[in-house]
Amino acid sequence: MNHETVAARLERTKLVTRHYHQLQGLRQIPVGLLFLTLAIDRTGWWPLFSVWQPISGILVLSLAIVGIWLAGRYYDQTIGRVTHRSSIKSKVVFVAWLALFLAAQWVEALWQWPVSASILMFALMYGVGFWVTGRALHQYLAAACLLVIISLLPLTGLLTTPQLYLFGPESAPGVALVGLIMIPVGLVDHWWLIRSLQSLREGAQ
Amino acid sequence: MTAAFEELATLDKLVHEPARLAIMTALSACQNADFLFLQQLTGLTKGNLSSHLIKLEEASLVQIDKQFVGKKPNTQIGLTEKGRQAIDRHWQLLENLRQDAQKWSP
């Protein structure tokens, strides 16, 4: 095995370990399904959801939390646990994103822009994800690009800004599209993690 | 070129062994990892991984903590400060050697 191959293998070892929690893609599936459920509720296709509020809302949210917990447990028991040093930088990035996201919701509630700021914030989240993982995880870049395109759809007249404003009553298409992007990204993350571990093990033989 | 050979001679063989280099590289990217994760990452058997970890622990390069998560035993492994310095130095040496090798003409 030449030096470049060994170096590449060790770089991948670092990448998998450093971003192990982000790569636990199955944990994103319940969040994606939660978004899809909310979208179905907003369309009115599931009348019982609204009739039984807030019980149905709490139930769906609880199911999503249980799903995330079960997925985390699956990773802990089959691949193992990794603890990272508490990073101030990552906390600052998250708080900054959350502040921007909330500001975008507030601004969008007051003014209707021809571009969806809500969806752009999700694009920013995946863009930052792509950047902090060393630009190796192209699924984040693909998701960010798709979300940017979706955020521009009001310019084409295919969707309106209120349909992409996440907290609005007409937001079914926006919420559904975010959910529909989260699920495949999560599946690709999971596949990338499993494939990387396999190739690292095979390379070590 | 002599300098490169001198640097080659200073490589720590305890760290340079491929399995241990992979273990230490993984641990350098986190605070600690458990035994199962290192096993999944390296593809080593339990016995082999244990033996490598014991060697690294004897050299004070890693710290091994055995604890219980619920009712199940869980072994957490992390680099010591000495281990972190050793792997950083090792990577630096490898990088220097790679750069030197690129200057060599056939």
Side-chain angles (χ1 to χ4, degrees):
Chain A
M1 203 181 291
N2 64 38
H3 176 80
E4 292 301 328
T5 318
V6 173
R9 232 165 44 76
L10 292 174
E11 277 305 322
R12 184 160 280 224
T13 300
K14 265 190 197 174
L15 188 72
V16 169
T17 310
R18 187 169 290 143
H19 302 294
Y20 178 51
H21 290 122
Q22 284 101 306
L23 289 168
Q24 295 182 1
L26 294 183
R27 296 200 309 178
Q28 288 178 49
I29 310 296
V31 184
L33 290 174
L34 178 68
F35 272 78
L36 289 182
T37 310
L38 287 174
I40 290 170
D41 169 51
R42 300 265 161 91
T43 57
W45 294 343
W46 186 9
L48 285 181
F49 191 96
S50 302
V51 173
W52 287 6
Q53 280 291 10
I55 294 169
S56 51
I58 293 168
L59 188 69
V60 168
L61 191 65
S62 305
L63 282 174
I65 292 169
V66 169
I68 296 167
W69 178 77
L70 284 174
R73 200 172 142 85
Y74 159 79
Y75 286 109
D76 285 350
Q77 292 185 348
T78 56
I79 301 175
R81 295 165 199 263
V82 173
T83 313
H84 290 103
R85 289 176 180 189
S86 169
S87 157
I88 292 174
K89 192 176 152 191
S90 61
K91 282 177 188 157
V92 167
V93 168
F94 176 73
V95 170
W97 177 81
L98 195 63
L100 274 173
F101 179 78
L102 293 174
Q105 302 309 309
W106 178 66
V107 168
E108 235 174 12
L110 297 178
W111 297 287
Q112 284 197 6
W113 291 352
V115 174
S116 169
S118 302
I119 303 293
L120 270 181
M121 288 305 113
F122 280 99
L124 180 69
M125 178 184 82
Y126 280 115
V128 170
F130 176 65
W131 190 262
V132 298
T133 51
R135 284 163 283 169
L137 302 170
H138 294 102
Q139 63 270 31
Y140 295 156
L141 181 64
C145 291
L146 264 176
L147 286 162
V148 167
I149 293 168
I150 292 168
S151 75
L152 298 175
L153 285 179
L155 289 171
T156 66
L158 283 171
L159 286 175
T160 61
T161 315
Q163 285 178 315
L164 295 175
Y165 170 58
L166 297 181
F167 294 104
E170 302 165 43
S171 65
V175 177
L177 286 167
V178 172
L180 283 173
I181 287 174
M182 268 184 187
I183 293 171
V185 170
L187 290 173
V188 173
D189 276 350
H190 176 75
W191 169 79
W192 198 94
L193 174 66
I194 300 298
R195 198 195 60 162
S196 293
L197 288 171
Q198 266 173 2
S199 75
L200 285 170
R201 285 196 296 262
E202 282 163 10
Q205 305 303 318
Chain B
M1 199 152 132
T2 318
F5 281 118
E6 280 169 6
E7 271 188 330
L8 200 58
T10 63
L11 278 177
D12 187 344
K13 294 191 179 47
L14 185 73
V15 178
H16 195 60
E17 196 282 331
R20 288 195 286 270
L21 186 57
I23 292 167
M24 289 191 67
T25 300
L27 293 176
S28 72
C30 63
Q31 189 178 349
N32 51 49
D34 72 0
F35 190 89
L36 176 62
F37 181 78
L38 291 178
Q39 205 188 348
Q40 291 289 326
L41 199 66
T42 57
L44 294 167
T45 62
K46 280 184 183 178
N48 270 341
L49 180 56
S50 287
S51 132
H52 285 302
L53 288 175
I54 287 167
K55 281 179 189 164
L56 291 170
E57 191 185 28
E58 281 170 356
S60 303
L61 296 176
V62 300
Q63 186 182 337
I64 300 173
D65 292 314
K66 290 183 180 175
Q67 56 190 33
F68 278 88
V69 176
K71 287 180 181 174
K72 288 184 179 174
N74 184 264
T75 306
Q76 291 281 330
I77 304 107
L79 282 183
T80 59
E81 194 47 47
K82 187 183 169 190
R84 220 164 268 283
Q85 285 170 2
I87 190 70
D88 287 347
R89 183 178 166 274
H90 198 83
W91 272 102
Q92 190 57 55
L93 269 174
L94 289 178
E95 182 55 27
N96 292 347
L97 282 168
R98 192 185 66 81
Q99 285 175 2
D100 286 344
Q102 281 177 341
K103 290 177 199 161
W104 295 348
S105 52

